[in-house]
Structure formats: C-alpha cells, structure tokens
Amino acid sequence: GAVVSQHPSRVICKSGTSVKIECRSLDFQATTMFWYRQFPKQSLMLMATSNEGSKATYEQGVEKDKFLINHASLTLSTLTVTSAHPEDSSFYICSASPGTKSYEQYFGPGTRLTVT
Amino acid sequence: GDSVTQMEGPVTLSEEAFLTINCTYTATGYPSLFWYVQYPGEGLQLLLKATKADDKGSNKGFEATYRKETTSFHLEKGSVQVSDSAVYFCALINAGNMLTFGGGTRLMVKP
C-alpha cells in the first residue's frame, strides 16, 4: 500500500528556535498534502492543505507566518514551525493524497514536537 | 459546522469479546462517513466507509452502518483479537471535501 513517512518522529527544541518537519510519499505522487495537529486526547485538527507548486491554504486560526508549509515536489512537503513556543508542543501529522478524493489520504506516523 | 463525537476511551476488552465503539455526527446535508485505525507507531489507515444512509461498511471483521435517523456510525466487531489494539477514529466528509475527525478511541485487547 501507499506509504507516507515523516521525519523526525520526535524533536525537542528550545523556545524561540525553528524546527522543520518533513513529509514524504514514498511510492506515489501526492497531488495534495495535508498537515494536522493533534492535542492529547483530542481529534486531529486540519491546519493546512497544500498542492504541489502552489501556496498552502490555511484553516481559520492557523498563523501562516508561524507554520510555514512548502510543497516543493510531488513527494515532499515540509512544515516549519518558526519561533517555537511551548504552546506549539503537539503531535503533528501529515497525509498525502494521490488524487481528488479527499478521503483517500495516506497518513504519516506523526511527529512529536516538544518546545522547552 | 460539522462535528464528530466518539466515546472516550480507553476501551479494554478480553480477546474474543464483542466490540462497539459509538460515533455520532452533526452535519448538514449528506456526509460520507469513515472509520480510520491507527496502530502503534503507524499512520492512520482507512478501515471502512459508507457513503449514503443505510450503507454498511465492512473490513477485517469490522462493520459500521450509516444511520441517518440517529446520525450514528457505530463500529462493531464480533470477536476482537489482541492485534486489534489501536486507536480508532470516526470521521466524515461533507460538501467542503475535508475530513472532520472525532477525538479517537483507544482499544486495548488483553489475551
């Protein structure tokens, strides 16, 4: 089946620094990639949707300048958390879709970010 | 807006027990409904889906029926195994074509 990887799986960074999370579709080309955030015992919240080569579409309440998303190729999207603060600590999950069916998303295993 | 509510976990069962994980939704129109499963250390995987009222989705012994009258999509399995231990997410897609997830329910099956 389709595989999506994320790197790193865990990262700890100091407050004020930036951290980049990579999301790769390993065996298919992803027309669309999605970034989610999951708080403990809560649902996945969609942060943004990105299509290869174009700007990401952010959900309401998500700061574009804080969560920079780049979808430079059909197999790679990156999320950069800039000037991280402890409240940014969370579980970030990406997914990739090869086509137009939104439910046909293949999810990465997630990245645990801890900001100290 | 659209929302999905799942029973809180964890749900702890013995092997071969019957499983029900409740899921109800709020949405306008006619959403499609899904169950995703996340095994430890892995990404979410689509488990089953139903696209219209009274449809039954099924996969790997799991079933869920789209009940429009009760706005529910409860997940069931007749006999769980240790390997079913995972987190289960109910979700819907509506006119906006984006997934809306429930909070997830952790299932722990003991031998």
Side-chain angles (χ1 to χ4, degrees), chain A residues 34 36 38 41-46 49 59 91 93 100-110, chain B residues 8 32 34 36 38 41-46 49 51 87 89 93 97-104:
Chain A
F34 304 85
Y36 296 85
Q38 186 179 25
K41 298 185 179 181
Q42 295 188 29
S43 178
L44 281 73
M45 301 300 295
L46 180 65
T49 304
E59 296 298 302
F91 196 57
I93 300 172
T100 57
K101 297 177 181 177
S102 183
Y103 68 82
E104 192 181 13
Q105 296 182 32
Y106 300 98
F107 288 81
Chain B
E8 286 193 24
S32 294
F34 307 87
Y36 285 83
Q38 185 177 29
E42 299 183 18
L44 277 75
Q45 303 171 27
L46 179 62
K49 68 181 191 290
T51 57
V87 181
F89 292 89
I93 285 181
N97 205 31
M98 290 299 161
L99 281 165
T100 298
F101 287 93

Side-chain angles (χ1 to χ4, degrees), chain B residues 30-31 51-55 65-69:
Chain B
Y30 303 95
T51 57
K52 61 182 187 295
D54 300 326
D55 267 3
T65 301
Y66 189 144
R67 302 287 188 197
K68 188 164 180 62
E69 64 277 12

Side-chain angles (χ1 to χ4, degrees), chain A residues 24-86:
Chain A
R24 294 182 184 271
S25 56
L26 298 185
D27 50 5
F28 67 97
Q29 293 186 327
T31 305
T32 307
M33 285 186 167
F34 304 85
W35 286 96
Y36 296 85
R37 183 173 178 177
Q38 186 179 25
F39 294 97
K41 298 185 179 181
Q42 295 188 29
S43 178
L44 281 73
M45 301 300 295
L46 180 65
M47 299 174 66
T49 304
S50 72
N51 294 295
E52 184 265 339
S54 55
K55 290 184 178 180
T57 302
Y58 289 80
E59 296 298 302
Q60 191 172 7
V62 178
E63 298 177 59
K64 302 178 183 181
D65 295 333
K66 181 165 190 61
F67 299 100
L68 301 179
I69 291 172
N70 184 286
H71 192 165
S73 76
L74 285 170
T75 59
L76 173 65
S77 178
T78 60
L79 168 68
T80 302
V81 182
T82 62
S83 187
H85 289 98

Side-chain angles (χ1 to χ4, degrees), chain B residues 66-102:
Chain B
Y66 189 144
R67 302 287 188 197
K68 188 164 180 62
E69 64 277 12
T70 54
T71 62
S72 64
F73 193 55
H74 304 323
L75 182 68
E76 296 181 337
K77 186 174 185 181
S79 176
V80 294
Q81 305 301 312
V82 172
S83 58
D84 294 325
S85 298
V87 181
Y88 293 82
F89 292 89
C90 186
L92 67 82
I93 285 181
N94 209 346
N97 205 31
M98 290 299 161
L99 281 165
T100 298
F101 287 93

Side-chain angles (χ1 to χ4, degrees), chain A residues 86-99:
Chain A
E87 57 264 31
D88 299 325
S89 298
S90 192
F91 196 57
Y92 292 89
I93 300 172
C94 76
S95 70
S97 176

